[in-house]
Amino acid sequence: MEQLLALFSDYTFQIVALGTGFLGLLSGVVGTYATLRKESLLGDALSHAALPGIALAFLLIGKKDLVYLLGGALISGLIATALIQWISKKSTVKFDNALSVVLSSFFGLGLVLLTHIQGLENANQAGLEKFIYGQASSMLLSDVQLLLAVGAGILVLVLLLWKELKVFAFDPVFTQTLGFQTRILQFILSAMIILTVIFGLESVGVILMSALLIGPAVAARQWSDRLGVVLILAGLFGMVSGVAGTFISSIGRQIPTGPTIVLVLSLIVMISLIFSPKRGLIIRWVNQRRKKKAYIKQIEEKQERSEKYAR
Amino acid sequence: MSEEAITLKHLTVAYQSVPVLWDVSLGFKKGKMTAIIGPNGAGKSTLIKAMLQLIKPLTGEVAFSLNDHQMAPYKEVKQQVAYVPQNSSVDWDFPTTVLDVVTMGRYGRLGWFKRAKKADKEIAAQQLAKVGMQTFADRQISQLSGGQRQRVFLARALAQEADIYLLDEPLAGVDMKTERIIMNLLHELVAEGKTVIVVHHDLQTVEEYFDEVVFINRSLMAAGSVSSAFTDKNIEETYRTDQNVGERSAQP
Amino acid sequence: MLVEIYLIAVVVALACSLPGVFLVLRGSTMLSDAITHTVLLGIVLAFFVVNDLNSPFLIVGATLVGVLTVWLIETLQHTKLLSNDSAIGIVFPLFFSIAIILITRYAGNVHLDADSVLMGELAFAPFRRMTLFGMDFGPKVLWSMLIILIINVLFITFFYKELKITTFDPGLAAALGFSPVFLHYALMTLVSLTAVGAYDSVGSILVVGFMVGPALTGYLLTHRLKRMILITLITAVFNSLVGVKAAFVLDTSIAGMIAVVTGITCLLAFLFSPSKGSIQAIRNRWKQRKNLKKQAASSHIKS
């Protein structure tokens, strides 16, 4: 008990939990739009594509300043998104195929640059690889402050453009006939996804970021048919996973934070898929059995009646 | 001669390398109900989409005239033109209710940033009642039948309170009740002086439902009032000239 | 050494690109992305059982987990509670997370770090030798990837017709009595096997590029399946040779460099392909507009 109290009053834990919790909230909200637009795997591609941007920014500036590294990640993420959308729209190449080629060649370029950096005589290089797995425990107060500022900006934008983003996610063609520039909305959405992914790289890393975008949205969808409620629940699920994952990895020894967050989140997803009272697998199974029984009963009664009639 | 709500001049549209619509010049009469008729693949949907600039035409002009009698390009009159697409390819599992979808028809009038107010929701609810779906207001949209979905999308277009309505095959695959409701509403709109243009597939009902008719098969085959233009000769020419036009469109 | 690295790169690229042809045509490349990540869990679990990093059971275990991934993703997709890509994006991070946690917690002192699995390093591949009766038979990876390459070639040769028909028309294939499900799982088993074999030389993230890149280049350059396979294989060899050379010149990650070259050849094919290229498409459209405008103008004069 005392240990727990000590943990909660621990400064590092507070910062990391605040960071991962807010990141979870943000990716829950942004991820809901991404999944509704069927662009959830774009997040996965983006997290890989950010790597060369991070490495290039480091090469140009020569120090590990988070703002510049994230700026580099943002630019290479935007280029990758534009490339993927351009290729899949302008040719018969399927979206998935464009996604995987861009993802792996950008990541390859990132590796090439990182290996080059490691060969340089520079004491600052250490820790760049942490973007690949993420290292939540090394979050600094300034990192979290930056995350809070950008994240708050994104949340305000979501509130301001509430109806525009909703109608765009639901029916882009109709949105266009209403007189809204869908290109602007698409750009805003992509930028929000990229920013969230980039912040996620630092704490959960390249590979696990897609789970943080998709998981909360899928889980939340099971509990409500209204976009507002789904968004709030997704934010909540993301936040709970972030904080709980950080907590679990802090009380045990040698438990990495990022994977633990994903584990907690996956648990929430599974519970939602199975036990949701409206759409859950259990209630669906029960309903199907009930229907089947009702049909069988109807048929039996019919048969009985016809037999009686025959007699 | 009555005034034209939409005027097309030499409109030509092509997908990839094949021209789908060839040099269409045509006027849609204001305050009338017009049917666009033609065989499958004749370019009827393309015509509507090109008028709404959802597809960029190769050449040609589209001009709209509203109640102020000024001709204007589409981007200046967007709010006054409502569109009901053919079996809308939306995600039916989207977390939204029927009333919410109809309220989206108000968004264009609200413009950027402004929220839908109580008055907008009331207008949406009224339109929903008009299509006989008021009891479904709080349902999630995946629980609707095909005809009900079509009615919801009509209600959404009605909520736009536009002057011109473009509907792409609104009666395709719907039940009799839905067909009756939709046609009654469209006639009401025309009675209010609005212009209604419908892509239609059922030749049997053209004379009963429409004032004007436009025959399309890759190019304009004929147009005019139903009483004068809906002739056996025009129908036959429109529905058998596939090869003819195919040859012409095969030219480089 | 140098020759061996070239050889390994070529064999890995060939082995990966063959199943890639059908992945690209089926549009299921992100599924293979998921597999290449989850095989790590299989390797870890099998390692706990046999406690030997060189055991062939590792390959068996990892392949099984790869197939299990596909099954789980498709089961989730069938519930219709979430979209197809969401199912992929939920399953593979979960498996991957479990693997990472197991590695950090229990296998810390063994040579099984996530680094080498994810990134791989071709330059180290020749250090692991194949020795039999005291004789040196070359790098181990070369042999294992050669066997996998042969398996892939045999599979595609024997099931060419079936793969073709299930890819282009699954409905017809089922009606003709070819089971699309069987072939799908057979292909996914091969993808898993290839991913396991390739992970320690090119890393699990870049395997996807090795699989998809050359095949997509082939897809962009021709409309015929046999020709596509041929172009894919040539591109795979070209990419790996140029990639290794460039990596040596720049003294950097070999697998990363091959992935970069793969992306570049793909982009070039996308831009300049005579049949499907985007520059050709722009030119066509421009020419056509001019022609149509001319025609339209002359027809107005006539009327």
Side-chain angles (χ1 to χ4, degrees), chain B residues 174-188:
Chain B
V174 303
D175 49 290
M176 280 307 292
K177 186 185 169 197
T178 300
E179 177 159 343
R180 219 171 39 241
I181 291 173
I182 291 179
M183 286 323 295
N184 284 343
L185 278 171
L186 295 181
H187 281 121
E188 258 175 49

Side-chain angles (χ1 to χ4, degrees), chain C residues 181-259:
Chain C
V181 179
F182 166 73
L183 273 165
H184 177 64
Y185 273 93
L187 184 64
M188 289 304 157
T189 310
L190 281 193
V191 170
S192 310
L193 180 67
T194 314
V196 184
Y199 85 91
D200 62 347
S201 41
V202 297
S204 62
I205 296 177
L206 295 180
V207 170
V208 182
F210 279 69
M211 287 186 176
V212 182
L216 193 58
T217 310
Y219 169 83
L220 283 164
L221 291 176
T222 180
H223 289 279
R224 305 254 288 275
L225 181 57
K226 275 197 178 130
R227 219 173 276 172
M228 177 177 162
I229 295 177
L230 189 68
I231 297 176
T232 302
L233 293 175
I234 295 172
T235 316
V237 174
F238 175 83
N239 290 344
S240 44
L241 292 180
V242 174
V244 174
K245 181 79 195 155
F248 275 120
V249 171
L250 299 171
D251 188 23
T252 186
S253 154
I254 298 173
M257 207 62 222
I258 298 178

Side-chain angles (χ1 to χ4, degrees), chain A residues 35 38-41 44-45 48 83 86-88 90-94 96-101 103-116 129 132-133 206-208 210-211 214-215 218 221-222 252-256 258-260 262-263 266-267 269-270 273 279-281 284, chain C residues 23-31 33 37 76 78-83 85-90 92-94 96-98 100-101 104-105 114-116 118-119 121 205-206 208-210 212-213 216 219-220 250-253 255-257 259-260 262-264 266-267 270-271 276 278 281:
Chain A
T35 35
K38 311 272 175 261
E39 280 175 0
S40 43
L41 284 180
D44 183 44
H48 288 79
L83 212 53
W86 181 53
I87 291 175
S88 59
K90 292 282 165 185
S91 70
T92 50
V93 174
K94 295 186 178 93
D96 265 28
N97 294 347
L99 207 63
S100 14
V101 166
L103 173 157
S104 66
S105 31
F106 270 64
F107 190 80
L109 182 62
L111 270 189
V112 165
L113 293 170
L114 275 186
T115 318
H116 176 69
E129 314 86 43
I132 292 174
Y133 315 106
V206 167
I207 297 153
L208 300 181
S210 75
I214 301 171
V218 167
R221 179 66 189 89
Q222 308 311 318
R253 231 178 307 152
Q254 283 200 315
I255 306 178
T260 313
V262 173
L263 228 54
S266 301
L267 198 67
V269 172
M270 270 187 255
L273 287 175
R279 296 156 55 100
L281 293 175
R284 198 193 272 186
Chain C
L23 289 176
V24 164
L25 289 173
R26 290 158 178 243
S28 50
T29 51
M30 285 312 278
L31 202 56
D33 184 43
H37 286 96
L76 275 181
H78 283 310
T79 65
K80 303 260 182 236
L81 290 177
L82 65 177
S83 66
D85 52 343
S86 294
I88 296 177
I90 279 181
F92 87 79
L94 172 63
F96 192 78
S97 296
I98 298 174
I100 296 277
I101 291 175
T104 3
R105 245 185 109 65
D115 251 41
S116 67
L118 281 183
M119 267 86 84
E121 186 45 80
I205 296 177
L206 295 180
V208 182
F210 279 69
V212 182
L216 193 58
Y219 169 83
L220 283 164
L250 299 171
D251 188 23
T252 186
S253 154
M257 207 62 222
V260 173
T262 303
I264 293 172
C266 224
L267 187 66
F270 172 71
L271 288 175
K276 300 182 190 172
S278 70

Side-chain angles (χ1 to χ4, degrees), chain A residues 298-309:
Chain A
Q298 260 182 357
I299 293 168
E300 279 173 355
E301 277 171 9
K302 217 179 187 179
Q303 276 174 344
E304 263 173 47
R305 240 179 292 148
S306 59
E307 273 167 26
K308 258 187 214 159
Y309 190 73

Side-chain angles (χ1 to χ4, degrees), chain B residues 97-100 102 121-139 144 148 151-152 155 177 181 185:
Chain B
T97 61
V98 169
L99 182 64
D100 217 26
V102 180
K121 292 221 168 110
E122 271 163 21
I123 291 172
Q126 283 165 18
Q127 308 308 333
L128 204 52
K130 274 195 195 162
V131 297
M133 295 281 295
Q134 66 274 37
T135 49
F136 292 82
D138 285 329
R139 293 276 186 97
L144 305 180
Q148 289 171 331
R151 279 190 263 161
V152 170
K177 186 185 169 197
I181 291 173
L185 278 171

